[in-house]
């Protein structure tokens, strides 16, 4: 059965039962717990939820957009029918528009319209975030070099949180850091998330980094080991609570379903050669059974 579903539902139940309702910049209150931790053994299970449908194609392509294409251009995703970054896209004139909770002249949080200018050179991007940072510092290439040639290295880190580039990022990275090691022929990683939208972001993010681990391991002639996942501020927005209660009800009444098997094209030996077309041909789930979609609103 799916251990990931069990662990995920435990977090959701904890937030609803013990979490604190707080105001945040989006204007939609959230219910949060301050910290949480998961561990996944990728030899035993590929983590993708069964209590709701998670779309592996979109998850894979967003991950490849960041770490393989190393792009911040939202149109790259849109051409592949992936729309998850549309709300953060800078417009033709170089502006990003949203409504957020910001301090007024008295320091009181009030709902305000955001009309932030990034510059026309950033049109259709998310600014200096995610793939921009990976590309600037050649993070994926450097990590692969260390895994292959210096597997004993204790400095295998990719950090998307770069202070010099925060002001020109539409959304500073939520999943902001990953640390990697090779032990007994297995590739392990530890992922850090500073802010976690549990209904929308977490299911995608966990599946993406598990997939990244599997792809890198295959590319470097290793097996996949463990993924540790640390969260600061695990939250559910108040307009998502009904959807999460539905997911909990599914779990309590129907249990979880068997975890699927991840298939990666065994012919691909180079991370940068995995197919990133719309069809994402080198990634498939075998026997993925799920309980159907649950729609959750996005808060900016």
């Amino acid at each position: 059965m799916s251990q990931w579903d069990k662990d995920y539902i435990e977090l959701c139940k904890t937030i609803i039962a013990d979490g604190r309702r707080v105001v945040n910049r989006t204007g939609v209150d959230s219910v949060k717990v301050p910290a949480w931790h998961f561990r996944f053994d990728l030899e035993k299970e590929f983590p993708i939820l069964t209590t709701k449908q998670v779309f592996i194609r979109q998850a894979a392509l967003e991950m490849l957009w960041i770490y393989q294409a190393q792009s911040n251009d939202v149109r790259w995703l849109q051409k592949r029918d992936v729309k998850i970054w549309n709300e953060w896209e800078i417009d033709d004139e170089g502006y990003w528009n949203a409504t957020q909770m910001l301090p007024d002249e008295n320091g009181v949080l009030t709902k305000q319209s955001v009309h932030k200018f990034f510059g026309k050179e950033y049109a259709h991007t998310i600014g200096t975030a995610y793939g921009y940072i990976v590309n600037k510092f050649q993070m994926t290439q450097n990590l692969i070099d260390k895994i292959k040639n210096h597997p004993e290295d204790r400095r295998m880190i990719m950090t998307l949180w770069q202070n010099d580039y925060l002001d020109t990022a539409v959304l500073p990275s939520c999943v902001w850091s990953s640390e990697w090691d090779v032990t007994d022929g297995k590739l392990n990683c530890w992922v850090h998330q500073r802010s976690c939208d549990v209904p929308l972001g977490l299911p995608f993010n966990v599946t993406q980094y598990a997939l990244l681990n599997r792809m890198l391991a295959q590319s470097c002639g290793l097996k996949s080991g463990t993924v540790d996942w640390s969260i600061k501020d695990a939250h559910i927005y108040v307009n998502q609570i009904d959807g999460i209660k539905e997911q909990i009800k599914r779990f309590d009444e129907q249990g979880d379903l068997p975890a699927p098997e991840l298939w990666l094209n065994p012919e691909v030996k180079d991370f940068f050669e995995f197919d990133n077309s719309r069809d994402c041909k080198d990634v498939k789930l075998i026997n993925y059974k799920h309980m159907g979609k649950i729609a959750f609103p996005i808060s900016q």
Side-chain angles (χ1 to χ4, degrees):
M1 305 302 281
S2 169
Q3 183 62 44
W4 172 217
D5 277 280
K6 295 180 176 69
D7 294 343
Y8 178 82
I9 294 298
E10 179 187 359
L11 171 59
C12 292
K13 288 181 175 180
T14 300
I15 293 173
I16 290 176
D18 302 328
R20 296 293 180 265
R21 181 165 176 160
V22 295
V23 175
N24 61 80
R25 62 169 177 78
T26 69
V28 181
D29 286 1
S30 63
V31 182
K32 61 171 273 189
V33 294
W36 202 262
H37 175 260
F38 297 108
R39 169 170 281 188
F40 310 96
D41 186 340
L42 298 184
E43 284 197 310
K44 294 180 179 178
E45 178 180 318
F46 180 74
I48 187 165
L49 292 177
T50 67
T51 46
K52 76 166 187 178
Q53 184 177 14
V54 177
F55 296 94
I56 186 66
R57 185 186 71 85
Q58 289 91 325
L61 286 171
E62 186 196 15
M63 183 275 290
L64 292 171
W65 177 59
I66 297 169
Y67 288 109
Q68 188 199 68
Q70 300 179 7
S71 173
N72 61 346
D73 193 326
V74 180
R75 293 171 297 185
W76 189 98
L77 293 170
Q78 292 168 344
K79 289 176 182 177
R80 292 159 175 79
D81 294 329
V82 180
K83 303 174 182 179
I84 52 183
W85 279 97
N86 285 7
E87 284 79 7
W88 289 273
E89 180 181 0
I90 296 169
D91 68 19
D92 287 323
E93 299 302 314
Y95 286 92
W96 179 67
N97 304 284
T99 300
Q100 295 189 328
M101 295 293 287
L102 298 170
D104 61 16
E105 62 275 9
N106 299 314
V108 178
L109 286 177
T110 59
K111 190 172 289 188
Q112 301 178 36
S113 294
V114 177
H115 190 56
K116 183 176 179 180
F117 182 65
F118 287 86
K120 286 189 176 182
E121 67 271 25
Y122 291 117
H124 304 294
T125 76
I126 57 171
T128 56
Y130 289 92
Y132 176 95
I133 296 296
V134 174
N135 181 60
K136 182 172 183 63
F137 296 101
Q138 295 291 280
M139 289 184 178
T140 311
Q141 291 91 328
N142 290 334
L143 175 62
I144 291 171
D145 177 68
K146 289 181 178 180
I147 293 170
K148 285 184 173 181
N149 300 311
H150 302 282
E152 78 290 347
D153 198 317
R154 295 178 296 193
R155 300 177 182 179
M156 297 187 196
I157 298 171
M158 294 194 291
T159 175
L160 306 182
W161 191 271
Q162 302 286 337
N163 288 346
D164 290 348
Y165 300 95
L166 295 182
D167 289 342
T168 46
V170 177
L171 180 66
S173 301
C174 296
V175 180
W176 67 273
S177 177
S178 59
E179 302 171 38
W180 302 76
D181 80 272
V182 178
T183 304
D184 296 331
K186 297 178 184 178
L187 182 63
N188 309 298
C189 63
W190 195 305
V191 182
H192 303 271
Q193 187 165 9
R194 65 168 180 85
S195 173
C196 179
D197 181 334
V198 171
L200 274 177
L202 185 60
F204 247 55
N205 299 147
V206 164
T207 294
Q208 288 169 324
Y209 276 83
L211 177 59
L212 177 61
N213 184 300
R214 288 284 303 271
M215 286 182 166
L216 290 176
Q218 178 168 309
S219 300
C220 297
L222 299 168
K223 294 181 179 180
S224 285
T226 58
V227 177
D228 281 88
W229 199 277
S230 65
I231 300 172
K232 199 77 185 114
D233 202 307
H235 54 262
I236 300 170
Y237 289 101
V238 293
N239 59 3
Q240 299 172 328
I241 288 176
D242 287 345
I244 283 295
K245 286 183 176 178
E246 167 60 27
Q247 195 168 350
I248 291 172
K249 181 181 178 182
R250 291 177 179 183
F251 179 83
D252 287 343
E253 294 183 356
Q254 303 177 54
D256 52 311
L257 300 174
E261 178 184 348
L262 175 71
W263 177 88
L264 292 181
N265 185 346
E267 301 300 318
V268 180
K269 304 300 182 183
D270 181 342
F271 175 74
F272 292 96
E273 295 299 321
F274 281 105
D275 177 46
N276 66 20
S277 71
R278 182 196 178 282
D279 295 331
C280 205
K281 298 174 184 176
D282 294 325
V283 179
K284 295 179 183 178
L285 289 177
I286 299 172
N287 295 324
Y288 181 37
K289 299 176 182 179
H290 56 78
M291 300 180 192
K293 301 177 188 177
I294 298 178
F296 291 105
I298 294 173
S299 295
Q300 289 181 282

